[in-house]
Amino acid sequence: MEAFLETLIGLILLAYALAEVLGRWMGVGALAWGKRSEPKIALTFDDGPSERTPELLALLERHGVKATMFLTGQKAEQHPELVEAIRAAGHQLEAHGYWHRPALLMAPWTEWAHIARSPGQLYRPPWGIHSPFTRLFARLQGKQVALWDLESRDWLEQDPAALVERLLFYVKGGSVILLHDGPERTLKLLELLLPRLKEYGYQPVRMDEMELRPLGPRQGLERALQGSEERFDAKAEVYKAGYRYNNVLRLQKQQYHGPELPGYPQGTPCMWIHFESARLAAMSPMQALRAFRETLKEAARVLEAHPDVRFIYGMSYLGEGAKALGFEMHPLPRRDELLSKVTTAWFSWLYRGELPKHLFSDPAQIVYMTRETLLSRYGSAKPATTPSSPPPAPAQPQSPPA
């Protein structure tokens, strides 16, 4: 009997752990982002209505933005006039559960009532936390679980301007941004964020105006790895080569340590190219070409602000397409070419779900562009400021309050 109870407890704990990993961390089966090739993004607000809902609605109206509000059922019952004001303003109303409690601390019958008493076609669990019953109960009640792919961190005691810079660094076409109805910090953040999102070509819309699909296991893995990407960017001091919605490059300043290039020995100051794989994977060849040309103009501004940098470079199979953009080619050593093939295979599978046809037929090469070529082809005489690096990443992942 004791062994049976131990086994039963072990299976229950395993079920809860899997629900947390697959449901919350990876988001498998949930809605979390739209098409990366389009400029549409969704601003979503949890925990309302609140005493600051009228201010939030006025701010969104002033900027001409429609959003998606995930309302707590208990608060909605207490403030029906605010719910009606949200609806009248044209925003999308969805469910955040009746009580603001984590699913892990609710009995199954309580979680059923929690979901049932909060109206909406979409359901966002408080904190995103799942129990083994969350997805089943939501589906039986005709609701689709909706998460996010970018946290605003508006619950942290941080400068709103710093939070905005981080959001602009990581927002992509199709992003679903997690915000909250309640903190004063959120209002200050939005005042800074919304004009710049529009300046960079993004179009904030309601979630029901986006093409959203439930995440599969591969997209779930992509979502789970977002934190590691952010920690790498902070440690390596990666720069954003432009903030437009179709930006496809980030740049990492370093001393060159690859095979010697004509006129550029090891130790030469340079910038290593990191491709925005999620964006590129969703683009057609013509969209990608246009995006490269626009992004290289922004990369030229980065180099204008870093006069010591002599060239930019990366590893690629772009071939003739890279030459058309102004890049030069140089062979890779066998070991580096193998590493490039493995890396390319990984990112192609992660973001496209397939291996590129040229992977084992075409050689990977170093593609590089000299400072003189970049500035002459894409530079501007206008003064430029240095694009910001991402803020330091936290040592441990931080969970939102909703």
Side-chain angles (χ1 to χ4, degrees):
M1 186 64 180
E2 184 177 345
F4 171 77
L5 289 176
E6 289 178 354
T7 302
L8 180 61
I9 292 172
L11 290 174
I12 291 173
L13 292 175
L14 178 62
Y16 274 87
L18 287 175
E20 183 68 0
V21 171
L22 297 175
R24 181 192 185 204
W25 188 44
M26 297 179 68
V28 175
L31 305 179
W33 62 75
K35 295 184 68 172
R36 294 303 194 193
S37 60
E38 294 185 355
K40 291 182 179 180
I41 60 173
L43 304 181
T44 67
F45 295 85
D46 289 4
D47 298 358
S50 76
E51 60 182 8
R52 290 199 171 92
T53 297
E55 294 177 75
L56 175 60
L57 294 179
L59 187 155
L60 294 174
E61 179 67 24
R62 189 162 63 250
H63 289 277
V65 169
K66 303 300 181 188
T68 303
M69 309 290 189
F70 288 89
L71 304 183
T72 302
Q74 197 172 43
K75 290 183 180 179
E77 289 181 357
Q78 294 169 354
H79 301 283
E81 75 286 355
L82 294 179
V83 176
E84 185 53 38
I86 295 171
R87 182 180 289 107
H91 301 291
Q92 182 179 349
L93 276 66
E94 298 297 350
H96 195 40
Y98 187 76
W99 302 281
H100 199 268
R101 300 179 191 170
L104 294 177
L105 300 182
M106 287 189 278
W109 49 89
T110 305
E111 186 179 7
W112 174 273
H114 167 77
I115 298 173
R117 295 177 67 182
S118 184
Q121 293 182 319
L122 302 181
Y123 169 58
R124 176 174 287 171
W127 294 279
I129 293 175
H130 284 59
S131 79
F133 307 100
T134 301
R135 295 298 180 86
L136 174 63
F137 289 171
R139 178 174 294 228
L140 290 175
Q141 295 180 31
K143 292 180 171 69
Q144 167 66 54
V145 170
L147 298 175
W148 58 86
D149 73 324
L150 183 58
E151 298 174 348
S152 68
R153 298 186 178 175
D154 56 356
W155 63 91
L156 297 178
E157 293 292 338
Q158 293 185 7
D159 179 11
L163 295 175
V164 167
E165 291 304 319
R166 176 186 167 276
L167 284 171
L168 292 172
F169 199 96
Y170 289 106
V171 67
K172 302 176 178 67
S175 279
V176 175
I177 302 177
L178 171 66
L179 298 127
H180 295 86
D181 179 356
E184 183 180 2
R185 187 180 301 103
T186 303
L187 301 177
K188 296 178 180 178
L189 181 156
L190 289 170
E191 288 285 13
L192 298 172
L193 177 67
L194 294 179
R196 294 184 66 184
L197 285 175
K198 291 186 177 182
E199 177 187 351
Y200 300 141
Y202 289 102
Q203 299 172 10
V205 298
R206 295 162 36 137
M207 286 186 72
D208 59 8
E209 296 178 277
M210 296 176 65
E211 187 176 327
L212 299 163
R213 295 181 180 178
L215 303 187
R218 179 172 54 81
Q219 291 87 358
L221 183 59
E222 178 185 342
R223 185 175 188 268
L225 292 174
Q226 288 176 323
S228 60
E229 176 187 16
E230 187 167 348
R231 287 188 288 275
F232 170 82
D233 288 341
K235 183 178 180 180
E237 297 184 3
V238 175
Y239 290 86
K240 188 88 165 175
Y243 288 95
R244 283 191 58 80
Y245 78 92
N246 60 349
N247 164 69
V248 292
L249 300 178
R250 289 176 290 160
L251 299 170
Q252 178 187 354
K253 190 174 181 179
Q254 60 180 222
Q255 303 295 313
Y256 181 62
H257 52 77
E260 187 167 320
L261 300 174
Y264 300 110
Q266 291 189 356
T268 302
C270 64
M271 283 194 170
W272 169 260
I273 295 171
H274 296 270
F275 296 104
E276 294 278 6
S277 300
R279 283 191 177 97
L280 284 169
M283 291 180 176
S284 68
M286 287 305 298
Q287 285 177 319
L289 180 61
R290 191 180 307 116
F292 267 108
R293 286 174 174 163
E294 292 181 5
T295 305
L296 286 170
K297 294 177 183 178
E298 302 295 337
R301 294 188 181 186
V302 177
L303 262 66
E304 287 170 355
H306 293 270
D308 58 321
V309 173
R310 305 311 308 159
F311 64 96
I312 61 174
Y313 82 105
M315 298 180 187
S316 177
Y317 297 86
L318 291 174
E320 294 302 317
K323 288 182 180 179
L325 292 169
F327 285 96
E328 299 179 55
M329 307 293 178
H330 190 80
L332 271 173
R334 182 63 180 167
R335 185 189 68 174
D336 292 341
E337 184 179 2
L338 179 60
L339 177 61
S340 177
K341 287 182 181 294
V342 171
T343 303
T344 300
W346 163 251
F347 284 111
S348 295
W349 175 81
L350 183 64
Y351 293 108
R352 288 182 180 271
E354 60 184 25
L355 296 180
K357 297 177 181 178
H358 62 254
L359 186 60
F360 298 104
S361 58
D362 299 338
Q365 301 180 78
I366 293 179
V367 294
Y368 68 99
M369 188 182 300
T370 67
R371 177 184 186 86
E372 293 72 24
T373 299
L374 181 63
L375 295 184
S376 65
R377 292 186 64 153
Y378 302 101
S380 168
K382 299 177 182 179
T385 56
T386 305
S388 62
S389 298
Q396 297 293 330
Q398 300 185 46
S399 298

